Amino acid sequence: MTADDVRAAAERVRDVADLTPLQPSARLSRTTGAQVYLKREDLQRVRSYKIRGAYNTMAQLSADELSAGVVAASAGNHAQGVAYACQAMGVRGRIYVPTTTPKQKRDRILWHGGDAVELIAVGDTYDAAAAAAQADVMRTGSTWIHAFDDPRTAAGQGTIAAEIVEQLGAVPDVVVIPVGGGGCLSGMVTFLRDANPDVIVVGVEPAGAPSLSAAVIEGGPVTLADIDPFVDGAAVKRVGELVLEVMAPLDPAIAAHPELSSSATVDSADRVLSRGSTHIVHVDEGALCSTMLELYQDDGIIAEPAGALAVAALELLPLHPDSTVVSLLSGGNNDVSRYGEIIERSLVHRGLKHYFLVDFPQEPGALRGFLDRVLGPEDDVTLFEYVKRNNRETGAALVGIELGRADGLPSLLERMEASNLGTEQLRPDSPAYRYLT
């Protein structure tokens, strides 16, 4: 893949992909001290950039490949791009998605594809859906449209970088790009490095699915044993081969020990970003949720988890005050039913939400006493549920408490200790905590 491939892709998708705004963000510029722009791919016609790669790939298929029908696997956004292309080109398609794909994305896939596509849900991760899709290809001889590990797909995603340079009139100093399988990063880096080798590139992975970091450290793609599926658009167990070729050389020793160099690092946000450097940073899912809420409440932007990754990373980066920074807001396919979990994860991340197991005496006024003696004036009980009764004297209850201030936790714990009630705090990293979220 070359920059010329990206330029050719730009011509193919010109009448299909919308020219999305490159929007200056006064709020993020004020927060970071740099001049921050958001590339608004959430405003794309399928609400993500994925239409670019899907259409660019299908537009280059032969008549025989198209007549065989296409098969794709996706967490939801690539599927919408393939579905749109199938409908526009009159091609039959079968699209595999994980069973965890939000209903909003499934509905949009069927809306874009209409009668041209069949939607099949299988497995609980993208990788499981991809395995089922590849088995379909082997069985039927249909044409495989990869979500990220195909130079045609990556070149299509790279057209975002071409638009940024055209809209800005120059190559930005820093470009921040979300990473799942690595196709978008591959395409954009290919074009940007050709336009200006001094550009700083930051790839952003969800902390719960750091497949690119693992691949750099191990010297090739590895399959992660477990991932957090919350950032569904970037929750990939195994990164593609293509991104490692494009990003080379990334020294495994540097990846494993970021203190050795600032030129190519994993989790190197505490280092100065030098010209021409490449960085990989991780964003905690709770911090990501806080960013999603800020985008919604302060900017009126609906971003899905993967869509907000690059924006969430901005506060981690030591940006030069005079630098021009472009952050790719990559998608807006967020199901409104997910906002309860988004708010919950944000509160926990900010230290405002805590859960406890409390042994209450089985006597009148026990709960009232707890509220009077333990809770602070700004605190609130958000969950109260008896778990079981151990004996006649006490009964365990699951209690969720939202603090008025994050620094109020130590005093809350002191009051709990003084109450003489048996209490146990459930921490987010404990096995029992997963039953709460």
Side-chain angles (χ1 to χ4, degrees):
M1 180 176 55
T2 67
D4 284 340
D5 293 326
V6 176
R7 295 185 184 97
E11 291 301 317
R12 292 189 195 96
V13 305
R14 188 176 301 277
D15 296 330
V16 176
D18 295 323
L19 176 63
T20 55
L22 183 64
Q23 186 177 80
S25 172
R27 178 179 67 85
L28 293 170
S29 297
R30 184 169 59 250
T31 300
T32 63
Q35 181 59 52
V36 176
Y37 293 83
L38 299 179
K39 179 57 172 171
R40 296 288 307 277
E41 285 294 291
D42 59 304
L43 298 178
Q44 192 57 256
R45 64 182 63 191
V46 296
R47 299 182 191 167
S48 86
Y49 67 88
K50 291 286 192 174
I51 189 174
R52 299 172 181 269
Y55 193 88
N56 185 56
T57 299
M58 290 182 60
Q60 296 179 73
L61 298 180
S62 67
D64 288 344
E65 288 173 316
L66 291 172
S67 64
V70 300
V71 170
S74 168
N77 286 344
H78 175 63
Q80 292 186 55
V82 172
Y84 183 96
C86 284
Q87 181 77 290
M89 300 172 67
V91 176
R92 298 292 303 173
R94 287 185 302 284
I95 299 173
Y96 289 77
V97 299
T99 56
T100 53
T101 298
K103 183 177 183 300
Q104 185 269 350
K105 287 188 176 181
R106 296 195 206 189
D107 291 344
R108 296 294 295 176
I109 294 166
L110 294 173
W111 189 89
H112 287 298
D115 295 336
V117 301
E118 177 185 358
L119 183 62
I120 304 163
V122 59
D124 59 359
T125 64
Y126 162 79
D127 303 85
Q134 288 171 330
D136 182 325
V137 170
M138 295 296 291
R139 184 176 64 253
T140 65
S142 299
T143 304
W144 173 236
I145 309 297
H146 205 292
F148 49 84
D149 207 19
D150 183 318
R152 297 166 298 183
T153 303
Q157 324 299 30
T159 61
I160 302 168
E163 286 185 8
I164 289 171
V165 173
E166 181 180 354
Q167 291 171 303
L168 195 62
V171 178
D173 298 306
V174 183
V175 181
V176 190
I177 305 166
V179 182
C184 185
L185 184 64
S186 301
M188 292 186 66
V189 166
T190 296
F191 186 87
L192 291 168
R193 291 274 185 245
D194 180 77
N196 184 353
D198 287 339
V199 63
I200 298 167
V201 176
V202 180
V204 188
E205 297 188 286
S211 57
L212 177 56
S213 300
V216 172
I217 292 170
E218 296 298 328
V222 293
T223 302
L224 301 178
D226 296 295
I227 58 174
D228 185 336
F230 176 73
V231 189
D232 53 294
V236 175
K237 285 187 174 182
R238 185 182 180 91
V239 77
E241 299 272 359
L242 181 62
V243 67
L244 295 177
E245 297 172 10
V246 170
M247 298 286 282
L250 281 175
D251 189 333
I254 293 173
H257 304 283
E259 69 276 8
L260 296 179
S261 173
S262 63
S263 63
T265 68
V266 174
D267 279 340
S268 58
D270 60 330
R271 308 185 66 87
V272 174
L273 303 181
S274 57
R275 290 192 306 172
S277 61
T278 301
H279 301 260
I280 307 169
V281 298
H282 302 155
V283 170
D284 175 81
E285 281 75 5
L288 177 61
C289 289
S290 295
T291 296
M292 292 175 66
L293 294 173
E294 290 166 358
L295 285 168
Y296 179 73
Q297 293 173 338
D298 298 337
D299 305 308
I301 296 174
I302 297 174
E304 63 184 279
L309 266 176
V311 180
L314 291 175
E315 66 180 34
L316 304 175
L317 304 176
L319 299 172
H320 192 281
D322 296 329
S323 61
T324 300
V325 181
V326 174
S327 178
L328 173 57
L329 207 162
S330 60
N333 284 298
N334 194 47
D335 195 323
V336 68
S337 66
R338 303 185 75 186
Y339 271 103
E341 182 183 4
I342 292 166
I343 293 170
E344 173 79 9
R345 284 182 180 247
S346 174
L347 289 171
V348 171
H349 169 75
R350 292 158 56 202
L352 296 173
K353 191 74 171 286
H354 303 274
Y355 290 94
F356 303 87
L357 287 175
V358 182
D359 283 329
F360 283 94
Q362 298 302 295
E363 60 186 31
L367 177 57
R368 171 55 61 188
F370 175 83
L371 297 176
D372 291 341
R373 297 195 307 271
V374 174
L375 254 63
E378 296 181 281
D379 303 339
D380 190 21
V381 173
T382 59
L383 176 67
F384 187 92
E385 182 178 342
Y386 272 112
V387 179
K388 63 179 180 178
R389 296 191 176 186
N390 298 319
N391 53 49
R392 294 181 180 178
E393 286 78 34
T394 63
L398 175 62
V399 182
I401 297 177
E402 184 175 333
L403 303 178
R405 297 166 54 91
D407 58 10
L409 180 61
S411 59
L412 174 69
L413 296 177
E414 289 176 3
R415 293 192 296 271
M416 282 188 171
E417 180 70 21
S419 71
N420 294 322
L421 297 172
T423 61
E424 177 188 352
Q425 184 177 4
L426 299 180
R427 300 187 180 278
D429 57 354
S430 66
Y433 197 89
R434 63 191 177 94
Y435 293 105
L436 299 172
T437 57

